[in-house]
Amino acid sequence: MKTRGKKYLDAVKLLDVAKEYTPGEAVTLAKKMTHTRFDETVELHLRMGLDSKNATQQVRGVALLPHGLGKKVRVLIFAQGEAARTAETNGADYVGGDELIQKIEGGWLEFDTAIATPDMMGKVGKLGKILGRKGLMPNPKAGTVVAANDLPRIIQMALKGRVEFKLDRTAIIHVPVGKTSFTEDKLVENLTAVVEAIMKAKPSGAKGQYVKTASLTTTMGPGIKLDLKPTLALTAG
């Protein structure tokens, strides 16, 4: 059994494991409990009332975090011709076609998000085994296969802090919402954007309770149970 350090154990003393916290309370507590020398990521974990094996109950989408993720996002665009020029002028870090595909086949993966125009997917498809394992494969459902005229908007979203979410095989959704160095207000606003996006992405085949439990955690910290009612009621409006 893993032995926890003194700082972790001291941090856990602040947590009431029997309590369900409001989003604001949870964010405040997460910041207080951080005990590492690095800037920990704050994550939202949702246990969903969905069957991960049922095709009509899949959840996948994107959320735009108003305050980003606290790091530079490296954006790669698979495009050619005018679409490639559009991507370059709108801030994409890497733009190309065959040469980028060959580079990735050789093991290069120095980017955080990949976007493709529809005409490139025939070629990009062969990277499925490589990019799929890393969650980097362009996918229409995730909003990363886009028309050339929509590239400026999508690139700007990605650069600001566009995060993807999807139901995993254990029926849980894990999404980063910021860093412990963020102010409480910024973390709550990012959390709000994620919750809104997930609620809007509710699949037509969902039955019963959509979200069963929710918790907030940091990279090295314990989970903080969230009170579902105020959490799911979060709205940017």
Side-chain angles (χ1 to χ4, degrees):
M1 186 174 179
K2 184 176 181 181
T3 302
R4 297 289 187 175
K6 182 178 182 300
K7 290 183 179 179
Y8 177 91
L9 296 175
D10 287 341
V12 170
K13 291 177 182 178
L14 300 172
L15 175 67
D16 181 350
V17 295
K19 180 178 178 179
E20 293 184 343
Y21 294 82
T22 66
E25 291 172 339
V27 163
T28 299
L29 184 58
K31 286 175 62 66
K32 284 182 179 179
M33 289 198 300
T34 185
H35 59 282
T36 63
R37 294 181 180 179
F38 65 92
D39 194 5
E40 295 182 60
T41 298
V42 180
E43 299 175 351
L44 173 67
H45 301 270
L46 301 176
R47 185 165 66 87
M48 310 299 288
L50 299 169
D51 181 357
S52 62
K53 296 179 181 179
N54 188 325
T56 68
Q57 295 188 30
Q58 299 305 303
V59 178
R60 186 165 189 168
V62 297
L64 176 60
L65 303 184
H67 304 291
L69 282 171
K71 66 175 185 178
K72 183 184 184 318
V73 179
R74 300 164 297 177
V75 179
L76 180 147
I77 307 293
F78 292 109
Q80 56 191 358
E82 187 59 35
R85 287 186 283 275
T86 297
E88 289 170 349
T89 58
N90 280 276
D93 296 282
Y94 309 104
V95 182
D98 293 335
E99 70 282 9
L100 279 182
I101 291 171
Q102 291 173 6
K103 194 172 181 179
I104 291 168
E105 287 178 322
W108 178 79
L109 289 168
E110 301 301 316
F111 53 95
D112 303 297
T113 188
I115 298 165
T117 52
D119 62 300
M120 291 298 299
M121 287 307 294
K123 295 181 177 181
V124 176
K126 63 182 180 179
L127 297 176
K129 289 185 178 180
I130 299 172
L131 299 184
R133 289 195 295 266
K134 299 288 186 180
L136 293 170
M137 186 65 185
N139 186 298
K141 292 183 179 179
T144 47
V145 177
V146 301
N149 60 3
D150 204 23
L151 280 174
R153 181 181 69 85
I154 297 299
I155 291 170
Q156 289 309 305
M157 285 178 64
L159 291 171
K160 287 179 180 178
R162 177 181 182 279
V163 293
E164 295 185 25
F165 57 84
K166 67 176 180 178
L167 188 74
D168 71 12
R169 63 184 61 183
T170 63
I172 294 176
I173 294 177
H174 311 269
V175 197
V177 298
K179 296 288 187 178
T180 51
S181 61
F182 285 17
T183 65
E184 293 175 15
D185 286 346
K186 287 183 178 181
L187 282 171
V188 171
E189 288 171 13
N190 276 1
L191 177 62
T192 297
V194 170
V195 170
E196 277 194 317
I198 291 172
M199 296 306 290
K200 288 178 181 177
K202 183 177 180 179
S204 59
K207 298 177 181 179
Q209 188 174 353
Y210 182 44
V211 181
K212 287 192 171 182
T213 64
S215 64
L216 202 69
T217 185
T218 60
T219 306
M220 302 299 290
I224 303 166
K225 293 179 183 176
L226 288 165
D227 187 334
L228 273 184
K229 188 173 181 179
T231 299
L232 301 185
L234 287 171
T235 170

